[in-house]
Amino acid sequence: MAVLSLQSITAAGLAATYSTAAGGGDKIPLGASNIFLHVKNGGASPVTVTITTQANSYKGLTVPDRTVTVANATDKFIGPIDSSLHADINQQASVGYSAVTSVTVAALRI
């Protein structure tokens, strides 16, 4: 499980660096607000991205893990990723992937 580097989008722009999605999942640092995960699926099949919910209830409601399907040969921005729901004790969100072949990811802060 790799910890993704958080990259900030500024007024001057950002040439984001993408990492190969890790087979065991990735972690996203959540020490700031407005954090998104950009997933590029270059594979031939859809990929389901799961962001684990650490706080499984909010005001009496059950909060499931966030799951997003990224169709083949497309990309999606997922977020914002809320630290009050997704942060573990290290202030990181856990991300899992149904497949990682030809999948790249970047953790972005707007």
Side-chain angles (χ1 to χ4, degrees), residues 8-15:
S8 293
I9 299 171
T10 66
L14 171 68

Side-chain angles (χ1 to χ4, degrees), residues 13-98:
L14 171 68
T17 301
Y18 289 81
S19 301
T20 301
D26 289 309
K27 295 275 194 172
I28 301 171
L30 296 177
S33 59
N34 297 319
I35 296 173
F36 291 78
L37 178 66
H38 188 203
V39 180
K40 294 182 177 184
N41 179 10
S45 301
V47 172
T48 301
V49 179
T50 302
I51 301 174
T52 303
T53 299
Q54 301 293 334
N56 291 328
S57 66
Y58 178 75
K59 295 185 179 183
L61 301 172
T62 300
V63 181
D65 292 342
R66 181 182 295 197
T67 58
V68 177
T69 300
V70 182
N72 55 307
T74 65
D75 65 295
K76 280 195 179 176
F77 288 89
I78 303 169
I81 300 170
D82 188 337
S83 64
S84 67
L85 294 174
H86 301 290
D88 62 15
I89 60 170
N90 297 313
Q91 289 300 304
Q92 297 174 339
S94 296
V95 182
Y97 313 98
S98 62

